[in-house]
Amino acid sequence: MLFPFRHTGVPPRVVVTGAGIITALGSDWKQNALGFRSGRVATRPVTLFDASRQRVKVAAELDLPPLPQTRLSDQHLARMDRAARMLLVAADQAWKQSGWEPSEHLPIVLGTTSGGMSLGEAYFRQATQSPHNHQHQAKRVVHYQAQQQALNVCEAFGFHGPITIIANACASGANAIGHAFELIRRGEAERVLAGGYDAISQLVFGGFDSLQALSPTQCRPFDAHRDGLALGEGAAVLTLEPLESASRRNATILGEVVGYGAATDAHHLTQPHPNGDAALASMSAACASAQLSPDQIGYINAHGTGTPLNDSAEAAAINRWAGANAAQIQVSSTKSSIGHLLGAAGSVEAVVCLMALQEQWLPPTSTLQTPEPACAFPLVKQPTDARIEYALTNSFGFGGANATLILRRWN
Amino acid sequence: MSATQEIFVCGKGVVSPAGWGLDAFRNALQNGQPLTTKALPRPGWEKPLCVRQTPPPATRPAFIAHARLRRTSPIAQYVVAAALEALGPDAQLLQKGFRLGIVYCAMSGCVNYSRRFYDEVLKDPSTASPLVFPETVFNSPASHLAALLGTTSINYTIVGDPGTFLQGLALAADWLLQERVDGCLVVGAEEMDWLTSDAARRFLRSIVVSDGAGALYLKRDRESFSATGVKLEAITDPQLFHHHCPRSEAARRARAELQTFMGQNELLVDGLLDVASADRDELNAWSDWNQSRLSPKRILGEGFMAAAAWQCVAAVDAVEQKFDAANVSVVGCNQQAIAARFIRKSIS
């Protein structure tokens, strides 16, 4: 039964036993860790569609690696779009690393903003340009939908859900991991595969360009002269399970999820409240969930899109949340390297935090030149080694969806 | 079930091809006749699509004057109208610190504006409207609703096939039981577009697509008894369709999971469309059902997520009126079969 819920005792500690990641920096943990640690910038001219008439013509596109061998047939793989393929690559890494076996009940929680949008675009073009040509249209309808992309993952590894897909705009990936964390804490699941994914599509690129949210120069989060974001694409997937289960299996533990918070900013559809009220509420809720105070957080992977409004609101929120401790908390935005991954951002940035915690370094905002004076906290500009126990990651989305995760180093 | 896991339905709201509000919905279901269809033009085709579309409201809803709702697509207006009807007088509580959660469920989402915006991008991206793009985002209706009500509590948009609405009810119950919110709206909605109807016809040529929204308002406190006297008793596990569990088996499993609760004077609110190939799995799963049965989609059309919400609203309404319990069966399009059960408070 989904409801009523199973009775639970003491909430278990939730650990990460597998992590898969694919971004424009690379298609696995190692390549991404190298890239994030050095602050490499991965934007390049857009090749996925004709961007010649766009105001901005660059994005952090990735090179798709060969698809992994799974239970999916070649025919099935051929029908999958770019977003579904990224998701499969990340899920395969996480699955293999976790050492999990297929099972009947294994929830999957995913975040995405646009699922298989490129298939939706292709469907529309064909339906309007050659309406009597039906070739591939039915397949596009099926594989466009986010639930099919989740079903692909279930089928690839032989497990059977249930599937939950959260579409809270750019907070979706963080919400997905947070929701998975809560499912395990409350005893509603023994294991959960969770993450986020999004591919660059013409509609979404055109949308951000129409809003003049894309940087015509370079994405420089928290820079006093920042002028917009860069779009990116990718996926990250985590395997989450109770500590007891991981220990019993002698699984390698990559880190611990200790807190999750979410709040809604009702100020504007596309702009945060200037004081960062909902961001503050989200960070505070995550800290309450983790039973931590701000002075215990060593690093924040900020939402830090590089837009004037986001970064000033987030800076205000961090200043208010940290108070007198702000000067002790290192902050950076890795969107300077890989762009904004929308529904994948929260999950990718959670993996970046795991990397930083495990390997004890801080990823720089390498494009930062002149720090925004409103920041009462130090911004990481150069590759830096550090000793950190807890990392916090923020994700804020269109529509006012705000989510915060807190992760802990595993010794 | 533990006494601490009691969740009550404290309000319901509907927008459907029958009209705006519960009365029109009730009348259409009581009448039992399929609503008339209308022709929806489809580019490149002489023959239009046949649909059941929600008519314009008899009077302009006051909420449309809100700054956030003036330019919204139909789906956002449906969501807000159904939610406000479900919330009723509790909307006033929000000024007193009441924490209202929102779970908004959709399968296709804001198709009108997505289609329009992409068309603009293809023609000339430099003139594509920045006002339209934000409305294409899945969670924009939930955001507008939160802004209108002034709630800053947790707010999720979840997508999937129609069974997702029942998952949304479980999510709301979870938030209520964890005391993260004091009340929670669960809204399912879709909007009409030739693109959606064209896509649906590729799988079912005789399908009549419809649009609208349905909302349930859930709380956990016992004062809620006075509102409707209906309790959410159970939601089955979502039974995923896959190689070892085809749609027919998933439907059977969902039905079997609910079997243990069954009693007398019960209603089944199913998802039958009167289209043999679409109905077969659900008919077989519930073939031994010998009590009352209601099939809202036969009357209102295939509203996908909105239709699953209509089924739940109809079930709650039926329990309030005359049944001891009502069971809802949703055998989705391409993801899952799932079922739920609502009961009158007196038999709990």
Side-chain angles (χ1 to χ4, degrees), chain A residues 1-3 5 53 104 123 125 132 134 147 155 163 165 167-168 182 186 202 260 264 398-399, chain B residues 5 44 118 122-123 139 143 152-153 155-157 159 167 174 178 180 198 202 235 243 253 257 334:
Chain A
M1 280 288 168
L2 194 58
F3 177 83
F5 305 113
R53 291 187 297 167
E104 183 70 22
Y123 185 95
R125 290 194 303 269
H132 297 273
H134 302 293
Q147 63 265 34
E155 199 165 325
I163 292 168
I165 298 159
N168 276 5
E182 292 187 333
R186 295 203 279 273
Q202 191 173 16
Y260 169 55
T264 302
F398 268 18
Chain B
Q5 291 207 31
Y118 187 54
L122 288 176
K123 284 173 179 155
N139 65 330
S143 170
T152 56
S153 297
N155 181 330
Y156 274 13
T157 293
V159 300
Q167 289 181 281
D174 194 4
Q178 299 299 321
R180 293 180 73 169
D198 179 72
R202 296 186 185 279
I235 302 171
H243 280 334
R253 287 185 187 184
E257 210 177 334
N334 56 3

Side-chain angles (χ1 to χ4, degrees), chain A residues 59 87 258 277 299 314 326:
Chain A
L87 173 62
V258 296
D277 290 351
Y299 167 66
E314 187 171 10

Side-chain angles (χ1 to χ4, degrees), chain A residues 136-220:
Chain A
H136 305 307
Q137 291 290 69
K139 281 182 279 187
R140 286 175 181 139
V141 174
V142 171
H143 286 268
Y144 159 76
Q145 297 176 73
Q147 63 265 34
Q148 181 59 48
Q149 291 151 12
L151 281 162
N152 292 342
V153 176
C154 294
E155 199 165 325
F157 305 106
F159 66 94
H160 302 144
I163 292 168
T164 303
I165 298 159
I166 300 175
N168 276 5
C170 308
S172 305
N175 286 130
I177 293 172
H179 185 61
F181 164 71
E182 292 187 333
L183 287 176
I184 295 172
R185 292 274 293 170
R186 295 203 279 273
E188 291 163 32
E190 281 290 318
R191 302 178 292 168
V192 185
L193 194 81
Y197 67 103
D198 259 324
I200 292 171
S201 68
Q202 191 173 16
L203 188 155
V204 174
F205 190 92
F208 278 91
D209 205 25
S210 76
L211 289 167
Q212 303 202 4
L214 300 181
S215 169
T217 57
Q218 186 174 42
C219 174
R220 286 164 289 164

Side-chain angles (χ1 to χ4, degrees), chain B residues 281-344:
Chain B
D281 296 330
E282 189 169 9
L283 272 172
N284 288 341
W286 292 86
S287 59
D288 60 341
W289 182 259
N290 55 12
Q291 300 191 57
S292 299
R293 191 166 193 144
L294 179 63
S295 308
K297 292 202 289 189
R298 282 177 159 153
I299 297 156
L300 301 169
E302 176 54 278
F304 301 109
M305 199 67 76
W310 297 334
Q311 287 177 249
C312 291
V313 170
V316 170
D317 201 39
V319 173
E320 282 181 71
Q321 306 287 335
K322 63 175 185 176
F323 289 95
D324 291 336
N327 305 283
V328 174
S329 161
V330 180
V331 181
C333 319
N334 56 3
Q335 180 181 345
Q336 61 195 347
I338 186 168
R341 179 176 168 83
F342 300 91
I343 60 168
R344 195 189 294 256

Side-chain angles (χ1 to χ4, degrees), chain B residues 130-145:
Chain B
L131 296 176
V132 174
F133 174 65
E135 300 291 338
T136 69
V137 181
F138 260 121
N139 65 330
S140 62
S143 170
H144 293 317
L145 178 60

Side-chain angles (χ1 to χ4, degrees), chain A residues 67-97:
Chain A
L67 291 176
Q69 288 288 323
T70 66
R71 298 175 187 219
L72 295 176
S73 66
D74 290 345
Q75 190 184 25
H76 193 121
L77 293 172
R79 291 172 181 165
M80 287 165 45
D81 81 317
R82 190 172 174 80
R85 289 167 186 231
M86 292 174 191
L87 173 62
L88 185 65
V89 168
D92 180 66
Q93 293 167 22
W95 183 266
K96 284 177 178 157
Q97 190 173 22

